[in-house]
Amino acid sequence: MRLSGECALARRVVWHAQTGSTNADAAALAEAGAPEGCVVLADHQTAGRGRLGRSWSSPPGTGIYASVLFRPTPRVARMLTIAAGVAVAEAIENVAGLGPVLKWPNDVYLGGPPQSGRKVAGILAEAGLSGGETWVVVGFGINVLPGSLPHELAARATSLDAELGRPVERGELLAACLVRLAERYGDLTEGRCPDVLDAWRLRAMATFGRAVEWDDDGVVKTGVVRNIGDEGGLIVDTGSGAATVVSGDVRWL
Ligand code: BTN
């Protein structure tokens, strides 16, 4: 398959055969005044970062490790992580023909809903302020070959090649991710935020109605997932009304 499309991103592209973390590199570029749309790519990360202080396994030749710099308004910034999850899921669907499911806020799963499927991609958004302007780096990691995964994660994570039973072209998938990300970012900046939310909801439908627990300021709370709200928070029905989870993780019960 050949991919083509408009891509407002990738105004500057930095490639590393090896780096610590593309998110850290992109954040440094942001602080140095680099323009929106800069992309940092690596074949190998030695200190790949995951959400909530976790690490992201990034051995050479096995995955996609990419970070994109945005300079969004505060309203758009709140929705960027949701839009990025949609974009990566759409790119995987376009290139590999698989139907990824999203787990709030933006984990990408294959082989069924997150309760029974396995994680294939993750997104880490990190924000800062320089010169009075907010910047957001959106980093995504996709497990393409089985070697991208550490053994201890084999039961909970998967790779595209393992799911498909044939190789996926990393360059084609990366190009698709950047094109979809540019389009979904355009949706946010041009007032089509409801389209992004609807696309996210369609891919997360299998998680609605499921019981979850999460940490709220050190207190473990439980409830049943209802939906996501218009600002991207997860709405959960608890015994005492609806709660909106805006950060952290939820765990299935
Ligand atoms: C997660 O699911 O915990 C998020 C993982 C995000 C990993 C990507 S790989 C490219 C970018 N650089 C990093 O250091 N992390 C992100």
Side-chain angles (χ1 to χ4, degrees), residues 21-23 45 48-51 56 66-67 107 119 122-123 140-141:
S21 156
T22 56
N23 261 36
Q45 294 184 121
R49 310 206 281 231
R51 290 184 67 238
W56 186 260
S67 301
D107 287 343
K119 180 165 165 173
I123 290 153
F140 52 93

Side-chain angles (χ1 to χ4, degrees), residues 17-102:
Q18 177 184 309
T19 191
S21 156
T22 56
N23 261 36
D25 295 337
L29 286 172
E31 290 289 333
E36 173 162 271
C38 279
V39 177
V40 182
L41 310 168
D43 182 53
H44 175 203
Q45 294 184 121
T46 55
R49 310 206 281 231
R51 290 184 67 238
L52 306 174
R54 298 172 189 135
S55 62
W56 186 260
S57 165
S58 320
T62 60
I64 288 177
Y65 314 115
S67 301
V68 182
L69 169 62
F70 294 93
R71 295 191 179 277
T73 62
R75 187 183 54 81
V76 167
R78 277 195 293 277
M79 290 302 300
L80 250 181
T81 178
I82 292 289
V86 171
V88 170
E90 288 173 339
I92 289 173
E93 185 163 276
N94 291 351
V95 171
L98 296 165
V101 168
L102 289 170

Side-chain angles (χ1 to χ4, degrees), residues 196-218:
V196 177
L197 286 164
D198 285 349
W200 192 95
R201 288 176 179 127
L202 269 179
R203 291 190 183 273
M205 209 72 98
T207 68
F208 296 169
R210 298 290 176 151
V212 289
E213 66 173 19
W214 73 98
D215 299 317
D216 182 8
D217 260 342

Side-chain angles (χ1 to χ4, degrees), residues 179-240:
V179 169
R180 294 307 303 151
L181 192 54
E183 287 173 357
R184 288 303 184 182
Y185 185 56
D187 285 342
L188 298 184
T189 57
E190 291 160 23
R192 295 184 298 276
C193 196
D195 294 359
V196 177
L197 286 164
D198 285 349
W200 192 95
R201 288 176 179 127
L202 269 179
R203 291 190 183 273
M205 209 72 98
T207 68
F208 296 169
R210 298 290 176 151
V212 289
E213 66 173 19
W214 73 98
D215 299 317
D216 182 8
D217 260 342
V219 179
V220 177
K221 300 213 167 152
T222 59
V224 172
V225 175
R226 187 201 294 173
N227 206 332
I228 54 166
D230 290 347
E231 303 246 301
L234 188 72
I235 303 174
V236 182
D237 289 322
T238 70
S240 51

